[in-house]
Amino acid sequence: MQKKISEKEFLENYRVNDYERPSVAADIVIFTILDKESDNYRKLGTKSLSILLVRRGGYPFLGEWALPGGFVKPDETVGQAATRELKEETNLENIYLEQLYTFSTPNRDPRAWIMSSSHLALLNSDNLQVQSGDDAADAQWFTMEYSCEENLYKISFSNADTTLSTVVKLDIFNPEESQVIENTGLAFDHAKIVAYALERVRNKLEYSQLAFNLVPEKFTLTELQNVYEVILNETLFKAAFRRKIAPYIEETAEYQEGFGHRPSKLFVRR
Amino acid sequence: MQKKISEKEFLENYRVNDYERPSVAADIVIFTILDKESDNYRKLGTKSLSILLVRRGGYPFLGEWALPGGFVKPDETVGQAATRELKEETNLENIYLEQLYTFSTPNRDPRAWIMSSSHLALLNSDNLQVQSGDDAADAQWFTMEYSCEENLYKISFSNADTTLSTVVKLDIFNPEESQVIENTGLAFDHAKIVAYALERVRNKLEYSQLAFNLVPEKFTLTELQNVYEVILNETLFKAAFRRKIAPYIEETAEYQEGFGHRPSKLFVRR
DNA sequence: GCAATAGTGTCTTTTAGACATTATGTG
DNA sequence: CACATAATGTCTAAAAGACACTATTGC
C-alpha cells in the first residue's frame, strides 16, 4: 500500500494525531561551589556544593522547591530549551551543560503526561558575580550536605531561612526506579533527579575534567582540590592530588595574594 | 489568581493543549558479540561486535536500515517502551538495558516533531539461541568494524548481502551536534546514535562491569577478554587482564572441553 | 615570631606492562 | 606427539598512598 504512493505524498498525509503525545520539559540541576568567608584573616573560607532551586508560585506543589525548567518548544532541542531556561534564571550564557536523563514515569506530574529531560549545569564563582535573571524572582541558592552509602543518598539543602531534606535509594541503572524514602520540600520527582545528578557528578569527577567547570578561569590548586573534596565528601592528600592533575593544568605568572600566608600560584586549564 | 482556586480545581482545568507536544519514540542500539566459527578444530572462532538493525518497509527512508524502536505510550516510561520493543524484536526479556540519550533536533524526522529517547541493550550468546520475535521480519545482525581517532568514528556494518558505512565526528558532550560526514544506508540520525552508543560502551567498559552482559552466565576468561578486545579495538596482555578482573569473577568447578587444547575453566560473575 | 597555607621531596606500597614458562586435551 | 590455547610466574616500570619538610605571607 505504502509503496504505491510517493514519499512526498506519504509525508503530506502523515497524521501525527494518530498517536498520543506527551509534553516534554527541560529541567536543570544547577550546581556551583559557594564560599562561606572566614572571620579569621588567615584562614580560607569553607566551600560547599550548592544548588539553585525555585519556589513554586502555583499549583501543583505550591510553595515547594523545584528545579528550574520549562517546556520544550517545537523549534528547539531539549538542550536548547535548557540553555534558554538557564539564561532566564541566571542571566548567564556559555555555561557547562550536559543532558542527564529523561524521566518519564506516566504519573510523575499530576497535571498531565509530562516527561522531564533533565540536565546538569555547572557554574563557577566568576559566574556568580552576575545578577539573576528575570524569571528568578524566587530562585535561591541552597548549600548541600550529603552522605552516601550503597547508593542511599541522604541530602539536605539549606539557605538562610529554610532547610529541605531528602533520602533517596538511588537505582543507578534505572534512576526512575529509585525509592524516595523521605522528602520534605522538593516538588515532583526532583529528589530523584538531584540524587542522580549528584551521582553523575561524583563519578564523572574521577574520569573527566568536569571539576574545571566549577572553578574560575584562573584558580589555585587548593581551590581545585576543594572542589574534589566537597563533591567526593573526603579529604585528599595534597601531593598526590597535584601529581594527578598535573597533565591538565598550566601555570600562569600570577599569584593570589592578600592572605596571612604564602601566596598561591594561579593556574589555568590546559 | 491561582491562589484563589484549589489544587483540585487547578488540575481539573489544566489545559495540556496550551503547549505544543512532540511525539516520543524509544529506539534501541542492540549490541552483541557474534562468533564466527573456525574451520580448524583447534582454533577458537573470531568474535566481532554486532548490532541488530531493521530494514524500513515504509516511508520515510524506505529500504534503509534503522534502529529497532517505536512510539512511547501514555502508560509506560521510555524504558518500558524500549523493553517492549526489545521483546517484540528479539522475543527476549530480562536483558541489560540502559537509557542512552534523548535526541530532539526538531527536524530529525521528516514526518513530524519526533524525539528519540535512545537506549543501549546488550545481549550475550545464550540469548542469541532464541529465535526472533514477531516484528523482526526484516531484522538482521550486522557485524561492525570501526576505527576512532579524536572522536572521528568510521564504522562499517556487514551482513551476508549488505555493507553499510558511516563516518561521524562525534561531539561527546552534545551528541546531537555531531557531524555525519558520510552515511550509506542508515536511516534518520541513527548514525549519530550508534556512534554515541559505541562511545558509551567503550568508556563504560573501563570503569564498570558492563562486559559481563556480553558473555554467557558461565564463561571462560578468554571469552571475557575477547569482549574487551573487540570493543576496545586492541589486544590486551592476558596476565594483566586476569589480575584486573579477578575481583569481579568467581571460578566454578566446570571446564569447557572438546577443543584440541587444554580445557579452560568456567567462571561466573561475582 | 606565629599562624596558616603553599609547595616539594621521598620513602613505601600497589598496580600495570611485558614476557616467559609450564600445563593439558584432542586428532 | 604436536598444536593451539590455558594458566601462572616474575621482573620491571609506573602510579598512588602517606608523611615530612621547607617556603612565604600579614599582622
Side-chain angles (χ1 to χ4, degrees):
Chain A
M1 181 193 80
Q2 259 183 1
K3 287 188 181 161
K4 295 204 175 139
I5 64 170
S6 73
E7 176 154 10
K8 187 157 172 285
E9 286 173 297
F10 166 80
L11 290 174
E12 281 162 359
N13 291 307
Y14 182 78
R15 285 163 48 193
V16 71
N17 288 313
D18 287 359
Y19 305 94
E20 273 193 81
R21 285 162 293 150
S23 300
V24 177
D27 292 321
I28 324 171
V29 178
I30 309 175
F31 284 145
T32 194
I33 308 288
L34 288 186
D35 189 280
K36 188 183 163 198
E37 275 186 38
S38 166
D39 41 352
N40 178 338
Y41 81 100
R42 286 186 195 281
K43 281 198 167 176
L44 294 175
T46 52
K47 315 282 180 120
S48 57
L49 179 62
S50 305
I51 186 173
L52 191 67
L53 297 175
V54 293
R55 195 180 179 136
R56 289 197 50 82
Y59 295 123
F61 298 99
L62 178 66
E64 297 193 33
W65 295 87
L67 296 172
F71 288 107
V72 180
K73 299 176 179 172
D75 61 347
E76 63 187 7
T77 63
V78 292
Q80 285 160 352
T83 303
R84 175 172 54 71
E85 296 289 340
L86 193 53
K87 162 87 173 149
E88 286 168 17
E89 293 292 343
T90 66
N91 224 356
L92 289 169
E93 296 174 82
N94 297 115
I95 295 302
Y96 178 85
L97 183 79
E98 71 170 53
Q99 190 180 306
L100 196 56
Y101 200 85
T102 298
F103 289 80
S104 59
T105 302
N107 62 355
R108 59 175 292 284
D109 190 310
R111 290 170 292 185
W113 185 23
I114 301 178
M115 296 183 182
S116 167
S117 173
S118 62
H119 289 74
L120 170 67
L122 302 179
L123 305 192
N124 66 40
S125 49
D126 283 348
N127 299 145
L128 290 176
Q129 312 304 326
V130 184
Q131 81 286 10
S132 44
D134 311 333
D135 271 26
D138 268 316
Q140 292 219 21
W141 287 105
F142 287 74
T143 62
M144 293 172 65
E145 290 192 50
Y146 80 94
S147 69
C148 176
E149 278 174 42
E150 293 178 29
N151 298 322
L152 184 70
Y153 275 92
K154 301 181 180 179
I155 315 176
S156 70
F157 308 84
S158 311
N159 70 2
D161 10 77
T162 315
T163 296
L164 317 176
S165 70
T166 190
V167 178
V168 178
K169 180 72 180 179
L170 187 67
D171 182 334
I172 56 172
F173 292 109
N174 201 350
E176 289 206 73
E177 299 299 317
S178 302
Q179 298 300 313
V180 178
I181 291 159
E182 191 191 307
N183 177 39
T184 60
L186 276 183
F188 302 102
D189 53 358
H190 290 185
K192 288 182 193 176
I193 301 181
V194 172
Y196 187 64
L198 189 48
E199 170 77 12
R200 171 82 63 98
V201 170
R202 275 160 41 104
N203 280 312
K204 247 182 142 162
L205 210 59
E206 317 232 32
Y207 65 86
S208 78
Q209 283 72 58
L210 210 64
F212 292 103
N213 298 294
L214 291 163
V215 293
E217 198 193 330
K218 289 174 183 170
F219 53 86
T220 68
L221 296 186
T222 301
E223 280 181 296
L224 189 61
Q225 187 172 343
N226 280 335
V227 169
Y228 280 83
E229 292 182 335
V230 140
I231 293 177
L232 298 178
N233 244 355
E234 59 184 327
T235 58
L236 305 173
F237 286 90
K238 185 161 56 170
F241 176 76
R242 287 169 186 226
R243 267 192 312 234
K244 209 166 168 180
I245 58 156
Y248 311 112
I249 59 176
E250 211 159 83
E251 65 177 43
T252 68
E254 294 172 61
Y255 287 82
Q256 185 187 70
E257 295 176 55
F259 297 91
H261 55 76
R262 178 171 171 179
S264 50
K265 196 170 278 187
L266 288 170
F267 291 78
V268 293
R269 185 178 182 171
R270 169 161 292 162
Chain B
M1 182 194 81
Q2 258 182 0
K3 287 186 183 163
K4 292 204 178 140
I5 63 169
S6 72
E7 177 154 9
K8 187 158 172 284
E9 286 174 298
F10 166 80
L11 290 174
E12 280 163 359
N13 291 306
Y14 182 78
R15 286 163 48 193
V16 69
N17 288 314
D18 287 0
Y19 305 92
E20 275 193 80
R21 284 163 294 151
S23 300
V24 177
D27 292 322
I28 325 172
V29 178
I30 309 175
F31 283 145
T32 194
I33 308 289
L34 288 186
D35 189 279
K36 189 184 164 199
E37 276 185 40
S38 167
D39 41 351
N40 179 338
Y41 81 100
R42 288 187 193 281
K43 281 200 170 177
L44 293 175
T46 52
K47 316 281 180 120
S48 57
L49 179 62
S50 305
I51 185 173
L52 189 68
L53 297 175
V54 292
R55 197 182 176 133
R56 288 196 51 80
Y59 295 123
F61 298 99
L62 178 66
E64 297 194 32
W65 294 87
L67 297 173
F71 288 108
V72 180
K73 299 176 179 171
D75 62 347
E76 62 187 8
T77 63
V78 292
Q80 286 160 352
T83 303
R84 175 172 54 73
E85 296 290 339
L86 192 53
K87 162 86 173 149
E88 286 167 16
E89 293 293 343
T90 67
N91 224 355
L92 288 170
E93 297 175 81
N94 299 113
I95 294 302
Y96 179 85
L97 183 79
E98 70 170 54
Q99 191 181 306
L100 196 58
Y101 199 86
T102 297
F103 290 80
S104 59
T105 303
N107 62 356
R108 59 176 291 284
D109 190 310
R111 289 170 292 185
W113 184 22
I114 302 178
M115 296 183 182
S116 167
S117 173
S118 61
H119 290 73
L120 170 67
L122 302 180
L123 305 193
N124 65 42
S125 49
D126 282 347
N127 300 145
L128 289 176
Q129 310 307 325
V130 183
Q131 82 284 13
S132 46
D134 311 334
D135 271 28
D138 269 317
Q140 293 220 21
W141 286 105
F142 287 73
T143 62
M144 294 171 67
E145 290 192 48
Y146 80 94
S147 69
C148 176
E149 278 174 42
E150 294 178 28
N151 297 323
L152 185 70
Y153 275 92
K154 302 182 180 177
I155 315 176
S156 70
F157 308 83
S158 311
N159 69 4
D161 11 77
T162 317
T163 295
L164 318 176
S165 70
T166 189
V167 178
V168 178
K169 180 73 180 178
L170 187 67
D171 183 334
I172 55 171
F173 293 109
N174 201 351
E176 290 207 69
E177 298 299 317
S178 302
Q179 298 299 313
V180 178
I181 291 159
E182 191 190 307
N183 178 39
T184 59
L186 276 184
F188 302 102
D189 53 358
H190 290 185
K192 288 182 192 177
I193 302 181
V194 172
Y196 187 63
L198 188 49
E199 170 76 13
R200 171 81 63 96
V201 170
R202 275 160 41 102
N203 280 311
K204 248 183 141 161
L205 211 59
E206 319 233 31
Y207 64 84
S208 78
Q209 282 73 58
L210 211 62
F212 292 103
N213 298 294
L214 291 163
V215 291
E217 197 194 330
K218 290 175 183 169
F219 52 86
T220 70
L221 296 185
T222 300
E223 279 181 296
L224 190 61
Q225 186 172 344
N226 280 336
V227 170
Y228 280 83
E229 292 182 335
V230 140
I231 293 176
L232 297 177
N233 244 354
E234 59 184 327
T235 59
L236 305 174
F237 286 91
K238 184 160 58 170
F241 176 76
R242 287 168 185 227
R243 268 193 311 235
K244 211 167 167 180
I245 57 156
Y248 311 112
I249 60 176
E250 211 159 84
E251 65 177 42
T252 69
E254 294 172 60
Y255 287 82
Q256 185 185 72
E257 294 178 56
F259 298 91
H261 54 75
R262 178 173 171 178
S264 51
K265 196 172 278 188
L266 289 170
F267 291 78
V268 293
R269 183 177 184 173
R270 170 161 292 164

